[in-house]
Amino acid sequence: MNKSKTRYEIYTFGLKSVLGLFEKRPEAIRYLVFVEELSPKLGAICSFLAKNKKAYKQLSNNELNEMAGYKEHGGVIAVAVPPSVRKPNYADFTRWQTERSPLLMLESFTSGRALGSLLQAAHSLGMKRVLLVHPKDQAHFSDEAFLSAEGAHEHLEFYEVEAASSLFKKLKDKYISIVGAPSGIGGRNLNFAKPINAPGRPFMLLINGSEAGPASRTLGQAEYVIQIPGITQGNAQLKPDILGSILLAWLQSRRKL
Amino acid sequence: MNKSKTRYEIYTFGLKSVLGLFEKRPEAIRYLVFVEELSPKLGAICSFLAKNKKAYKQLSNNELNEMAGYKEHGGVIAVAVPPSVRKPNYADFTRWQTERSPLLMLESFTSGRALGSLLQAAHSLGMKRVLLVHPKDQAHFSDEAFLSAEGAHEHLEFYEVEAASSLFKKLKDKYISIVGAPSGIGGRNLNFAKPINAPGRPFMLLINGSEAGPASRTLGQAEYVIQIPGITQGNAQLKPDILGSILLAWLQSRRKL
Protein backbone atom coordinates (compact mmCIF):
# COMPACT_ATOMS: atom_id res chain seq x y z
CA MET A 1 0.00 0.00 0.00
CA ASN A 2 1.25 3.43 -0.88
CA LYS A 3 1.27 5.45 2.30
CA SER A 4 2.43 8.68 0.74
CA LYS A 5 -0.14 11.36 1.10
CA THR A 6 -0.52 14.37 -1.11
CA ARG A 7 -2.13 17.61 -0.04
CA TYR A 8 -5.18 16.53 -1.98
CA GLU A 9 -5.89 13.78 0.50
CA ILE A 10 -7.18 13.88 4.03
CA TYR A 11 -7.35 11.38 6.82
CA THR A 12 -10.63 10.50 8.41
CA PHE A 13 -10.37 8.76 11.76
CA GLY A 14 -12.69 6.66 13.84
CA LEU A 15 -15.59 4.37 13.08
CA LYS A 16 -18.33 6.99 13.15
CA SER A 17 -16.44 9.42 10.95
CA VAL A 18 -15.46 6.73 8.47
CA LEU A 19 -18.99 5.32 8.27
CA GLY A 20 -20.24 8.89 7.80
CA LEU A 21 -17.76 9.45 5.00
CA PHE A 22 -18.81 6.18 3.36
CA GLU A 23 -22.45 7.16 3.56
CA LYS A 24 -21.89 10.63 2.13
CA ARG A 25 -19.03 10.22 -0.32
CA PRO A 26 -18.05 6.58 -0.78
CA GLU A 27 -16.18 7.39 -3.99
CA ALA A 28 -13.91 9.80 -2.10
CA ILE A 29 -12.23 7.00 -0.14
CA ARG A 30 -8.80 6.10 -1.55
CA TYR A 31 -7.81 3.48 0.95
CA LEU A 32 -8.75 2.18 4.33
CA VAL A 33 -6.76 0.69 7.19
CA PHE A 34 -8.17 -0.71 10.41
CA VAL A 35 -7.51 -2.97 13.37
CA GLU A 36 -8.81 -6.53 13.37
CA GLU A 37 -11.55 -5.86 15.95
CA LEU A 38 -13.32 -3.40 13.68
CA SER A 39 -13.28 -5.57 10.57
CA PRO A 40 -16.83 -6.96 11.14
CA LYS A 41 -18.19 -3.41 11.05
CA LEU A 42 -16.38 -2.42 7.88
CA GLY A 43 -17.58 -5.22 5.59
CA ALA A 44 -19.72 -2.98 3.38
CA ILE A 45 -16.92 -0.46 2.88
CA CYS A 46 -14.35 -3.15 2.10
CA SER A 47 -16.67 -4.77 -0.47
CA PHE A 48 -17.22 -1.39 -2.07
CA LEU A 49 -13.48 -0.64 -2.16
CA ALA A 50 -12.67 -4.08 -3.61
CA LYS A 51 -15.29 -3.63 -6.31
CA ASN A 52 -13.75 -0.25 -7.17
CA LYS A 53 -10.17 -1.59 -7.15
CA LYS A 54 -9.16 0.38 -4.09
CA ALA A 55 -7.07 -0.96 -1.24
CA TYR A 56 -7.92 -1.81 2.33
CA LYS A 57 -5.75 -3.48 4.89
CA GLN A 58 -5.82 -4.75 8.41
CA LEU A 59 -3.00 -3.29 10.53
CA SER A 60 -1.88 -3.40 14.14
CA ASN A 61 -2.79 -0.59 16.49
CA ASN A 62 0.86 0.50 16.53
CA GLU A 63 0.94 0.73 12.77
CA LEU A 64 -2.14 2.93 12.87
CA ASN A 65 -0.53 5.14 15.54
CA GLU A 66 2.46 5.60 13.31
CA MET A 67 0.44 6.32 10.23
CA ALA A 68 -1.79 8.84 12.02
CA GLY A 69 0.97 10.38 14.11
CA TYR A 70 -1.79 10.37 16.69
CA LYS A 71 -3.24 7.79 19.05
CA GLU A 72 -6.88 8.79 19.00
CA HIS A 73 -7.65 7.31 15.60
CA GLY A 74 -10.23 4.95 16.98
CA GLY A 75 -8.82 1.94 15.14
CA VAL A 76 -9.71 2.92 11.60
CA ILE A 77 -8.35 5.46 9.16
CA ALA A 78 -9.70 6.31 5.73
CA VAL A 79 -7.54 8.31 3.36
CA ALA A 80 -9.86 10.30 1.18
CA VAL A 81 -10.22 13.17 -1.23
CA PRO A 82 -11.17 16.26 0.79
CA PRO A 83 -14.64 17.76 0.43
CA SER A 84 -14.90 20.06 -2.55
CA VAL A 85 -14.91 23.81 -2.11
CA ARG A 86 -17.12 25.51 -4.68
CA LYS A 87 -17.50 29.10 -5.76
CA PRO A 88 -21.04 30.31 -5.09
CA ASN A 89 -22.84 32.66 -7.45
CA TYR A 90 -25.51 35.21 -6.69
CA ALA A 91 -28.29 32.73 -7.47
CA ASP A 92 -26.93 30.38 -4.82
CA PHE A 93 -27.23 33.07 -2.17
CA THR A 94 -30.79 33.83 -3.33
CA ARG A 95 -31.74 30.18 -3.09
CA TRP A 96 -30.17 29.78 0.35
CA GLN A 97 -32.01 32.83 1.56
CA THR A 98 -35.29 31.29 0.38
CA GLU A 99 -34.35 28.14 2.29
CA ARG A 100 -33.63 30.33 5.35
CA SER A 101 -30.21 28.80 5.50
CA PRO A 102 -27.77 30.69 7.74
CA LEU A 103 -24.13 30.86 6.72
CA LEU A 104 -20.94 30.58 8.72
CA MET A 105 -18.06 32.53 7.22
CA LEU A 106 -14.50 31.80 8.33
CA GLU A 107 -11.43 33.91 7.66
CA SER A 108 -7.79 33.99 8.71
CA PHE A 109 -7.77 30.84 10.78
CA THR A 110 -4.20 30.25 11.87
CA SER A 111 -4.97 27.03 13.66
CA GLY A 112 -6.37 24.02 11.86
CA ARG A 113 -7.39 22.63 15.22
CA ALA A 114 -9.57 25.66 16.00
CA LEU A 115 -11.05 25.58 12.50
CA GLY A 116 -11.96 21.90 12.84
CA SER A 117 -13.36 22.35 16.31
CA LEU A 118 -15.64 25.11 15.05
CA LEU A 119 -16.76 22.98 12.08
CA GLN A 120 -17.68 20.20 14.49
CA ALA A 121 -19.70 22.59 16.66
CA ALA A 122 -21.30 24.20 13.60
CA HIS A 123 -22.55 20.83 12.40
CA SER A 124 -23.76 19.93 15.86
CA LEU A 125 -25.68 23.21 16.04
CA GLY A 126 -27.41 22.56 12.73
CA MET A 127 -25.37 24.62 10.29
CA LYS A 128 -25.16 23.35 6.73
CA ARG A 129 -23.00 25.78 4.80
CA VAL A 130 -19.57 27.26 5.43
CA LEU A 131 -17.99 30.07 3.45
CA LEU A 132 -14.20 30.13 3.52
CA VAL A 133 -12.67 33.54 2.87
CA HIS A 134 -9.64 33.04 0.61
CA PRO A 135 -9.23 29.39 1.62
CA LYS A 136 -5.84 29.12 -0.03
CA ASP A 137 -4.46 31.98 2.03
CA GLN A 138 -5.84 30.46 5.19
CA ALA A 139 -3.60 27.45 4.52
CA HIS A 140 -5.26 25.34 7.13
CA PHE A 141 -8.29 23.84 5.58
CA SER A 142 -5.94 21.06 6.42
CA ASP A 143 -5.45 17.59 7.76
CA GLU A 144 -5.34 18.92 11.29
CA ALA A 145 -8.62 20.73 10.70
CA PHE A 146 -10.31 17.62 9.34
CA LEU A 147 -8.95 15.56 12.20
CA SER A 148 -10.31 18.00 14.72
CA ALA A 149 -13.65 18.21 12.89
CA GLU A 150 -14.17 14.50 13.63
CA GLY A 151 -16.15 13.86 10.48
CA ALA A 152 -18.43 16.90 10.77
CA HIS A 153 -17.03 18.24 7.51
CA GLU A 154 -18.81 15.42 5.68
CA HIS A 155 -22.10 17.02 6.65
CA LEU A 156 -21.20 20.54 5.59
CA GLU A 157 -20.99 22.24 2.21
CA PHE A 158 -17.95 24.45 1.66
CA TYR A 159 -17.75 27.53 -0.52
CA GLU A 160 -14.89 29.81 -1.40
CA VAL A 161 -15.55 33.54 -1.15
CA GLU A 162 -13.57 36.73 -1.41
CA ALA A 163 -13.49 39.55 1.13
CA ALA A 164 -16.20 39.44 3.79
CA SER A 165 -16.77 43.20 3.61
CA SER A 166 -17.82 43.17 -0.04
CA LEU A 167 -20.02 40.13 0.51
CA PHE A 168 -21.77 41.84 3.44
CA LYS A 169 -22.45 44.83 1.22
CA LYS A 170 -23.60 42.87 -1.81
CA LEU A 171 -25.95 40.66 0.21
CA LYS A 172 -27.33 43.12 2.74
CA ASP A 173 -30.90 42.75 1.47
CA LYS A 174 -30.70 38.97 1.74
CA TYR A 175 -28.61 38.28 4.82
CA ILE A 176 -28.07 39.97 8.14
CA SER A 177 -24.33 40.26 8.62
CA ILE A 178 -22.87 39.60 12.06
CA VAL A 179 -19.23 39.60 13.09
CA GLY A 180 -18.11 37.76 16.20
CA ALA A 181 -15.43 40.00 17.62
CA PRO A 182 -12.73 39.69 20.22
CA SER A 183 -13.71 41.77 23.23
CA GLY A 184 -12.16 45.20 23.35
CA ILE A 185 -12.48 46.17 19.68
CA GLY A 186 -15.73 48.03 20.15
CA GLY A 187 -18.48 45.57 19.40
CA ARG A 188 -21.68 45.50 21.41
CA ASN A 189 -21.89 42.99 24.23
CA LEU A 190 -23.89 39.88 23.45
CA ASN A 191 -27.31 40.19 25.06
CA PHE A 192 -28.57 36.65 25.30
CA ALA A 193 -32.07 37.78 26.16
CA LYS A 194 -32.47 39.92 23.07
CA PRO A 195 -32.45 37.99 19.82
CA ILE A 196 -31.57 39.66 16.56
CA ASN A 197 -34.66 40.04 14.43
CA ALA A 198 -34.38 40.31 10.68
CA PRO A 199 -37.54 38.92 9.10
CA GLY A 200 -36.79 36.97 5.95
CA ARG A 201 -33.05 37.43 6.27
CA PRO A 202 -31.02 34.55 7.68
CA PHE A 203 -27.78 35.39 9.43
CA MET A 204 -24.31 35.33 7.96
CA LEU A 205 -21.82 35.05 10.82
CA LEU A 206 -18.17 35.86 10.32
CA ILE A 207 -15.55 34.46 12.67
CA ASN A 208 -11.96 35.56 12.25
CA GLY A 209 -9.37 33.08 13.43
CA SER A 210 -6.42 35.42 13.88
CA GLU A 211 -5.27 37.17 17.01
CA ALA A 212 -5.69 40.59 15.40
CA GLY A 213 -9.35 39.98 14.61
CA PRO A 214 -11.34 41.21 11.60
CA ALA A 215 -10.21 44.18 9.51
CA SER A 216 -11.84 47.52 10.26
CA ARG A 217 -13.34 47.56 6.76
CA THR A 218 -15.11 44.31 7.60
CA LEU A 219 -16.36 45.66 10.93
CA GLY A 220 -17.59 48.78 9.15
CA GLN A 221 -19.73 46.81 6.70
CA ALA A 222 -21.27 44.47 9.28
CA GLU A 223 -24.73 45.16 10.64
CA TYR A 224 -23.76 43.76 14.02
CA VAL A 225 -20.38 43.42 15.67
CA ILE A 226 -20.89 41.31 18.77
CA GLN A 227 -18.47 40.46 21.54
CA ILE A 228 -18.75 38.24 24.58
CA PRO A 229 -17.98 40.22 27.74
CA GLY A 230 -14.90 38.82 29.41
CA ILE A 231 -11.36 39.33 30.51
CA THR A 232 -9.31 41.08 27.87
CA GLN A 233 -5.91 41.34 29.52
CA GLY A 234 -3.07 39.00 28.64
CA ASN A 235 -3.99 36.17 26.35
CA ALA A 236 -7.37 35.64 27.93
CA GLN A 237 -9.28 36.34 24.72
CA LEU A 238 -11.82 33.68 23.84
CA LYS A 239 -10.47 31.39 21.15
CA PRO A 240 -12.25 31.67 17.78
CA ASP A 241 -13.81 28.20 17.95
CA ILE A 242 -15.29 29.01 21.37
CA LEU A 243 -16.45 32.48 20.33
CA GLY A 244 -18.02 31.10 17.15
CA SER A 245 -19.74 28.27 19.00
CA ILE A 246 -21.28 30.56 21.61
CA LEU A 247 -22.66 32.86 18.92
CA LEU A 248 -23.94 29.98 16.79
CA ALA A 249 -25.66 28.36 19.78
CA TRP A 250 -27.41 31.64 20.51
CA LEU A 251 -28.28 32.49 16.90
CA GLN A 252 -29.53 28.96 16.20
CA SER A 253 -31.48 28.61 19.44
CA ARG A 254 -34.76 29.73 17.93
CA ARG A 255 -34.54 27.58 14.82
CA LYS A 256 -36.01 24.12 14.51
CA LEU A 257 -33.19 21.80 13.47
CA MET B 1 20.54 21.63 31.65
CA ASN B 2 18.49 18.69 32.73
CA LYS B 3 15.72 18.28 30.19
CA SER B 4 14.09 15.29 31.85
CA LYS B 5 10.61 16.10 32.99
CA THR B 6 8.73 14.35 35.75
CA ARG B 7 4.97 14.25 36.02
CA TYR B 8 5.28 16.91 38.66
CA GLU B 9 6.37 19.45 36.09
CA ILE B 10 4.49 21.21 33.34
CA TYR B 11 5.47 23.22 30.36
CA THR B 12 4.26 26.76 29.89
CA PHE B 13 4.60 28.13 26.38
CA GLY B 14 4.64 31.56 24.85
CA LEU B 15 5.64 34.99 26.11
CA LYS B 16 2.28 35.97 27.59
CA SER B 17 1.84 32.69 29.44
CA VAL B 18 5.38 32.71 30.75
CA LEU B 19 5.15 36.33 31.90
CA GLY B 20 1.83 35.48 33.54
CA LEU B 21 3.41 32.52 35.31
CA PHE B 22 6.29 34.70 36.49
CA GLU B 23 3.88 37.28 37.83
CA LYS B 24 1.73 34.74 39.65
CA ARG B 25 4.14 32.05 40.76
CA PRO B 26 7.76 33.00 40.08
CA GLU B 27 9.02 30.36 42.50
CA ALA B 28 7.30 27.62 40.47
CA ILE B 29 9.61 28.06 37.50
CA ARG B 30 12.30 25.35 37.35
CA TYR B 31 13.99 26.39 34.15
CA LEU B 32 13.46 28.54 31.14
CA VAL B 33 14.50 28.25 27.50
CA PHE B 34 13.91 30.81 24.78
CA VAL B 35 15.01 32.03 21.37
CA GLU B 36 17.43 34.93 21.07
CA GLU B 37 14.80 37.41 19.84
CA LEU B 38 12.84 37.17 23.08
CA SER B 39 15.77 37.59 25.43
CA PRO B 40 15.26 41.40 25.89
CA LYS B 41 11.76 40.68 27.22
CA LEU B 42 12.85 38.01 29.66
CA GLY B 43 15.50 39.94 31.58
CA ALA B 44 13.56 40.13 34.84
CA ILE B 45 12.80 36.41 34.84
CA CYS B 46 16.40 35.47 34.03
CA SER B 47 17.71 37.68 36.86
CA PHE B 48 15.25 36.08 39.23
CA LEU B 49 16.21 32.57 38.13
CA ALA B 50 19.94 33.33 38.40
CA LYS B 51 19.44 34.71 41.91
CA ASN B 52 17.59 31.54 42.86
CA LYS B 53 20.17 29.23 41.28
CA LYS B 54 17.87 28.02 38.55
CA ALA B 55 18.81 27.57 34.94
CA TYR B 56 17.85 29.46 31.82
CA LYS B 57 19.23 29.04 28.33
CA GLN B 58 18.99 30.50 24.88
CA LEU B 59 18.16 27.84 22.27
CA SER B 60 17.42 27.74 18.56
CA ASN B 61 13.85 27.56 17.36
CA ASN B 62 14.45 23.97 16.23
CA GLU B 63 15.65 22.98 19.67
CA LEU B 64 12.49 24.47 21.15
CA ASN B 65 10.37 22.56 18.62
CA GLU B 66 12.05 19.35 19.66
CA MET B 67 11.69 20.02 23.36
CA ALA B 68 8.03 20.97 23.07
CA GLY B 69 7.13 18.33 20.49
CA TYR B 70 5.06 21.16 19.16
CA LYS B 71 5.74 24.18 16.99
CA GLU B 72 3.42 26.71 18.56
CA HIS B 73 5.58 27.39 21.61
CA GLY B 74 5.99 31.05 20.75
CA GLY B 75 9.73 31.01 21.28
CA VAL B 76 9.80 30.51 25.03
CA ILE B 77 9.14 27.57 27.31
CA ALA B 78 9.12 27.54 31.09
CA VAL B 79 9.21 24.23 32.89
CA ALA B 80 7.37 24.69 36.14
CA VAL B 81 5.70 23.01 39.07
CA PRO B 82 2.00 22.64 38.22
CA PRO B 83 -0.58 24.69 40.13
CA SER B 84 -1.54 23.11 43.41
CA VAL B 85 -4.84 21.29 43.81
CA ARG B 86 -6.27 21.76 47.29
CA LYS B 87 -9.06 20.00 49.15
CA PRO B 88 -11.77 22.50 50.06
CA ASN B 89 -13.65 22.30 53.34
CA TYR B 90 -17.17 23.39 54.14
CA ALA B 91 -15.98 26.81 55.33
CA ASP B 92 -14.39 27.43 51.92
CA PHE B 93 -17.71 26.89 50.19
CA THR B 94 -19.41 29.20 52.68
CA ARG B 95 -16.85 31.91 52.03
CA TRP B 96 -17.08 31.51 48.26
CA GLN B 97 -20.84 31.76 48.46
CA THR B 98 -20.50 35.04 50.37
CA GLU B 99 -18.16 36.26 47.66
CA ARG B 100 -20.78 35.19 45.08
CA SER B 101 -18.12 33.14 43.40
CA PRO B 102 -19.48 30.63 40.88
CA LEU B 103 -17.73 27.28 40.54
CA LEU B 104 -16.88 25.17 37.51
CA MET B 105 -16.78 21.46 38.25
CA LEU B 106 -15.08 19.10 35.83
CA GLU B 107 -15.34 15.32 35.79
CA SER B 108 -14.25 12.46 33.55
CA PHE B 109 -12.34 14.47 31.00
CA THR B 110 -10.76 12.02 28.62
CA SER B 111 -9.02 14.68 26.58
CA GLY B 112 -6.44 16.99 28.09
CA ARG B 113 -6.92 19.25 25.12
CA ALA B 114 -10.64 19.71 25.80
CA LEU B 115 -9.95 20.24 29.50
CA GLY B 116 -7.36 22.93 28.76
CA SER B 117 -9.55 24.60 26.17
CA LEU B 118 -12.37 24.83 28.73
CA LEU B 119 -10.00 26.23 31.38
CA GLN B 120 -8.91 28.92 28.91
CA ALA B 121 -12.53 29.86 28.16
CA ALA B 122 -13.45 29.74 31.86
CA HIS B 123 -10.74 32.24 32.71
CA SER B 124 -11.73 34.42 29.79
CA LEU B 125 -15.32 34.39 31.00
CA GLY B 126 -14.33 35.49 34.47
CA MET B 127 -14.33 32.23 36.42
CA LYS B 128 -11.91 31.96 39.33
CA ARG B 129 -12.34 28.49 40.82
CA VAL B 130 -12.38 25.01 39.32
CA LEU B 131 -13.34 21.84 41.16
CA LEU B 132 -11.84 18.67 39.74
CA VAL B 133 -13.83 15.54 40.51
CA HIS B 134 -11.33 12.79 41.38
CA PRO B 135 -8.47 14.51 39.54
CA LYS B 136 -6.23 11.46 39.79
CA ASP B 137 -8.79 9.28 38.03
CA GLN B 138 -9.22 11.87 35.33
CA ALA B 139 -5.54 11.39 34.53
CA HIS B 140 -5.39 14.38 32.29
CA PHE B 141 -4.85 17.34 34.46
CA SER B 142 -1.84 16.98 32.27
CA ASP B 143 0.78 18.63 30.16
CA GLU B 144 -1.56 18.60 27.17
CA ALA B 145 -4.23 20.28 29.27
CA PHE B 146 -1.85 23.00 30.46
CA LEU B 147 -0.58 23.50 26.93
CA SER B 148 -4.09 23.93 25.62
CA ALA B 149 -5.01 26.23 28.53
CA GLU B 150 -2.38 28.70 27.27
CA GLY B 151 -1.55 30.04 30.70
CA ALA B 152 -5.15 30.45 31.89
CA HIS B 153 -4.51 27.91 34.65
CA GLU B 154 -2.25 30.46 36.35
CA HIS B 155 -5.32 32.59 36.98
CA LEU B 156 -7.51 29.82 38.35
CA GLU B 157 -7.64 28.07 41.71
CA PHE B 158 -8.01 24.29 41.60
CA TYR B 159 -9.71 22.10 44.15
CA GLU B 160 -10.11 18.37 44.40
CA VAL B 161 -13.59 17.10 45.19
CA GLU B 162 -15.34 13.77 45.41
CA ALA B 163 -18.56 12.79 43.66
CA ALA B 164 -20.55 15.66 42.19
CA SER B 165 -23.87 14.20 43.34
CA SER B 166 -22.98 14.33 47.03
CA LEU B 167 -21.56 17.84 46.67
CA PHE B 168 -24.76 19.03 44.99
CA LYS B 169 -26.77 17.62 47.89
CA LYS B 170 -24.51 18.95 50.63
CA LEU B 171 -24.37 22.45 49.17
CA LYS B 172 -27.89 22.89 47.87
CA ASP B 173 -28.63 25.78 50.23
CA LYS B 174 -25.48 27.59 49.12
CA TYR B 175 -25.14 26.85 45.43
CA ILE B 176 -27.48 26.24 42.55
CA SER B 177 -26.35 23.06 40.85
CA ILE B 178 -26.41 22.92 37.06
CA VAL B 179 -25.27 20.10 34.82
CA GLY B 180 -24.37 20.73 31.20
CA ALA B 181 -25.64 17.64 29.44
CA PRO B 182 -25.18 16.10 26.03
CA SER B 183 -28.40 16.49 24.10
CA GLY B 184 -30.68 13.48 24.17
CA ILE B 185 -30.31 12.49 27.82
CA GLY B 186 -33.38 14.33 28.96
CA GLY B 187 -32.22 17.75 30.07
CA ARG B 188 -34.19 20.89 29.38
CA ASN B 189 -33.18 22.92 26.35
CA LEU B 190 -31.16 26.01 27.11
CA ASN B 191 -33.41 29.05 26.92
CA PHE B 192 -31.04 31.95 26.40
CA ALA B 193 -33.75 34.50 27.11
CA LYS B 194 -34.63 33.08 30.51
CA PRO B 195 -31.86 33.37 33.08
CA ILE B 196 -31.72 31.09 36.09
CA ASN B 197 -32.56 33.04 39.23
CA ALA B 198 -31.33 31.87 42.58
CA PRO B 199 -30.92 34.87 44.85
CA GLY B 200 -27.87 34.58 47.06
CA ARG B 201 -26.78 31.31 45.53
CA PRO B 202 -24.03 31.37 42.91
CA PHE B 203 -24.00 28.59 40.33
CA MET B 204 -21.98 25.42 40.42
CA LEU B 205 -21.74 24.10 36.86
CA LEU B 206 -20.72 20.51 36.19
CA ILE B 207 -19.30 19.53 32.82
CA ASN B 208 -18.56 15.89 32.14
CA GLY B 209 -15.83 15.23 29.62
CA SER B 210 -16.72 11.67 28.66
CA GLU B 211 -18.81 10.48 25.76
CA ALA B 212 -21.27 8.77 28.09
CA GLY B 213 -22.02 11.96 30.00
CA PRO B 214 -22.80 12.35 33.70
CA ALA B 215 -24.07 9.46 35.83
CA SER B 216 -27.81 9.30 36.43
CA ARG B 217 -27.22 9.79 40.16
CA THR B 218 -25.54 13.09 39.35
CA LEU B 219 -28.37 14.16 37.05
CA GLY B 220 -30.85 13.22 39.76
CA GLN B 221 -29.23 15.49 42.34
CA ALA B 222 -28.83 18.51 40.04
CA GLU B 223 -31.34 21.34 40.19
CA TYR B 224 -30.97 21.96 36.47
CA VAL B 225 -29.86 19.65 33.68
CA ILE B 226 -29.41 21.81 30.61
CA GLN B 227 -28.69 20.79 27.05
CA ILE B 228 -28.03 22.78 23.91
CA PRO B 229 -30.49 21.80 21.18
CA GLY B 230 -28.64 20.28 18.27
CA ILE B 231 -27.98 17.30 16.10
CA THR B 232 -27.66 14.13 18.14
CA GLN B 233 -27.02 11.51 15.48
CA GLY B 234 -23.58 10.13 14.79
CA ASN B 235 -20.74 11.86 16.60
CA ALA B 236 -22.29 15.30 16.25
CA GLN B 237 -22.54 15.86 20.00
CA LEU B 238 -21.05 19.14 21.14
CA LYS B 239 -17.62 18.61 22.66
CA PRO B 240 -17.40 19.25 26.41
CA ASP B 241 -15.21 22.36 26.07
CA ILE B 242 -17.73 23.90 23.67
CA LEU B 243 -20.75 22.89 25.76
CA GLY B 244 -19.12 24.22 28.91
CA SER B 245 -18.12 27.49 27.25
CA ILE B 246 -21.61 28.17 25.90
CA LEU B 247 -23.16 27.59 29.33
CA LEU B 248 -20.52 29.68 31.11
CA ALA B 249 -20.95 32.57 28.66
CA TRP B 250 -24.68 32.49 29.31
CA LEU B 251 -24.47 32.06 33.10
CA GLN B 252 -21.80 34.75 33.44
CA SER B 253 -23.48 37.22 31.10
CA ARG B 254 -25.24 39.09 33.89
CA ARG B 255 -22.25 39.33 36.19
CA LYS B 256 -19.84 42.21 36.23
CA LEU B 257 -16.37 40.80 35.67
Side-chain angles (χ1 to χ4, degrees):
Chain A
M1 177 174 308
N2 177 12
K3 284 194 192 177
S4 79
K5 195 168 71 68
T6 75
R7 53 181 299 216
Y8 306 111
E9 292 181 328
I10 56 162
Y11 282 1
T12 294
F13 298 80
L15 189 60
K16 283 177 181 173
S17 295
V18 169
L19 292 176
L21 169 64
F22 180 60
E23 190 192 322
K24 289 273 176 177
R25 299 189 300 134
E27 72 293 344
I29 303 176
R30 297 206 166 173
Y31 59 90
L32 185 78
V33 294
F34 48 86
V35 296
E36 188 176 0
E37 299 88 299
L38 289 183
S39 109
K41 296 186 171 163
L42 296 166
I45 307 188
C46 292
S47 303
F48 175 86
L49 292 175
K51 204 177 293 172
N52 288 277
K53 300 196 168 58
K54 287 173 184 168
Y56 59 90
K57 193 174 183 181
Q58 198 171 292
L59 293 177
S60 72
N61 199 55
N62 279 343
E63 287 170 311
L64 286 186
N65 289 346
E66 195 187 312
M67 180 172 164
Y70 184 80
K71 287 179 186 171
E72 299 178 40
H73 46 63
V76 54
I77 304 176
V79 177
V81 182
S84 59
V85 178
R86 282 167 276 184
K87 287 197 179 175
N89 54 38
Y90 195 76
D92 290 323
F93 287 107
T94 306
R95 182 165 39 85
W96 299 337
Q97 182 204 7
T98 316
E99 294 170 10
R100 293 169 189 271
S101 173
L103 301 170
L104 174 62
M105 197 185 308
L106 305 178
E107 73 174 7
S108 305
F109 269 71
T110 51
S111 152
R113 201 208 54 70
L115 180 70
S117 168
L118 184 49
L119 294 180
Q120 200 278 338
H123 167 53
S124 180
L125 293 165
M127 298 295 291
K128 304 249 183 281
R129 297 190 172 95
V130 175
L131 310 181
L132 301 164
V133 179
H134 300 302
K136 277 155 206 156
D137 292 355
Q138 291 201 62
H140 32 58
F141 189 55
S142 60
D143 228 57
E144 199 198 0
F146 291 120
L147 172 61
S148 169
E150 300 188 4
H153 51 277
E154 294 300 335
H155 302 273
L156 296 165
E157 292 172 18
F158 294 97
Y159 296 89
E160 172 176 351
V161 296
E162 297 192 2
S165 56
S166 58
L167 206 57
F168 286 169
K169 197 169 176 183
K170 206 189 309 181
L171 296 172
K172 68 181 176 189
D173 297 332
K174 299 192 181 304
Y175 277 84
I176 182 159
S177 55
I178 304 171
V179 175
S183 46
I185 70 165
R188 66 173 75 185
N189 282 344
L190 173 53
N191 182 345
F192 283 108
K194 197 170 166 231
I196 289 178
N197 280 311
R201 291 190 300 151
F203 68 83
M204 172 182 269
L205 173 68
L206 175 73
I207 301 294
N208 180 295
S210 74
E211 219 168 295
S216 56
R217 192 175 44 196
T218 307
L219 298 173
Q221 284 295 341
E223 270 179 83
Y224 289 87
V225 176
I226 300 182
Q227 64 184 14
I228 316 283
I231 310 264
T232 55
Q233 305 95 307
N235 54 350
Q237 285 290 1
L238 282 177
K239 299 288 165 251
D241 53 331
I242 302 283
L243 173 65
S245 300
I246 294 169
L247 291 171
L248 283 178
W250 173 62
L251 290 164
Q252 288 283 69
S253 63
R254 301 201 306 170
R255 297 182 71 225
K256 285 221 170 58
L257 299 178
Chain B
M1 175 176 315
N2 176 12
K3 284 193 189 177
S4 78
K5 197 168 69 69
T6 73
R7 52 181 301 215
Y8 306 110
E9 293 180 327
I10 56 160
Y11 282 3
T12 294
F13 298 81
L15 188 62
K16 282 179 183 172
S17 294
V18 169
L19 292 176
L21 169 63
F22 179 59
E23 191 192 322
K24 288 272 176 180
R25 300 190 299 134
E27 72 295 344
I29 303 176
R30 297 208 166 171
Y31 59 91
L32 184 77
V33 294
F34 49 85
V35 295
E36 188 178 358
E37 298 87 301
L38 288 183
S39 107
K41 297 188 170 161
L42 297 167
I45 307 187
C46 292
S47 304
F48 176 85
L49 293 175
K51 203 176 294 173
N52 289 275
K53 299 194 168 57
K54 288 172 182 171
Y56 60 90
K57 193 174 181 181
Q58 199 173 291
L59 293 177
S60 72
N61 199 54
N62 279 343
E63 286 169 310
L64 285 185
N65 289 346
E66 196 187 311
M67 182 172 163
Y70 183 80
K71 286 180 189 169
E72 299 178 42
H73 46 64
V76 54
I77 305 176
V79 176
V81 182
S84 60
V85 179
R86 282 165 277 185
K87 286 198 180 175
N89 54 38
Y90 195 76
D92 290 324
F93 287 106
T94 305
R95 182 165 40 86
W96 299 337
Q97 182 205 6
T98 314
E99 294 170 10
R100 294 171 187 267
S101 173
L103 301 170
L104 174 63
M105 197 186 307
L106 305 177
E107 72 173 9
S108 306
F109 270 72
T110 51
S111 153
R113 201 206 55 69
L115 179 69
S117 168
L118 184 48
L119 293 181
Q120 201 279 337
H123 166 54
S124 180
L125 294 165
M127 299 295 292
K128 303 250 184 279
R129 297 189 172 97
V130 176
L131 311 181
L132 300 163
V133 179
H134 299 303
K136 278 156 204 156
D137 291 358
Q138 292 201 63
H140 32 58
F141 190 55
S142 60
D143 229 57
E144 199 198 358
F146 291 119
L147 172 61
S148 170
E150 300 187 5
H153 51 278
E154 295 299 336
H155 302 272
L156 297 165
E157 292 171 17
F158 294 98
Y159 296 89
E160 171 175 353
V161 296
E162 297 194 1
S165 57
S166 57
L167 207 57
F168 286 169
K169 199 171 174 181
K170 205 190 308 184
L171 297 171
K172 68 181 175 191
D173 296 332
K174 300 193 179 301
Y175 278 85
I176 182 159
S177 55
I178 303 171
V179 176
S183 47
I185 69 164
R188 68 174 72 182
N189 281 345
L190 173 54
N191 182 346
F192 283 108
K194 198 170 164 229
I196 289 178
N197 280 311
R201 290 191 300 151
F203 67 83
M204 174 183 268
L205 173 68
L206 174 74
I207 301 294
N208 180 295
S210 74
E211 219 170 295
S216 55
R217 193 176 42 197
T218 306
L219 298 173
Q221 284 295 344
E223 269 180 83
Y224 288 87
V225 176
I226 299 183
Q227 64 184 13
I228 316 284
I231 311 263
T232 56
Q233 305 95 309
N235 52 351
Q237 286 289 2
L238 282 178
K239 300 288 165 251
D241 53 331
I242 303 283
L243 172 65
S245 300
I246 294 169
L247 290 172
L248 284 178
W250 173 62
L251 289 165
Q252 288 284 68
S253 63
R254 300 203 304 169
R255 295 182 74 223
K256 287 224 167 57
L257 297 179

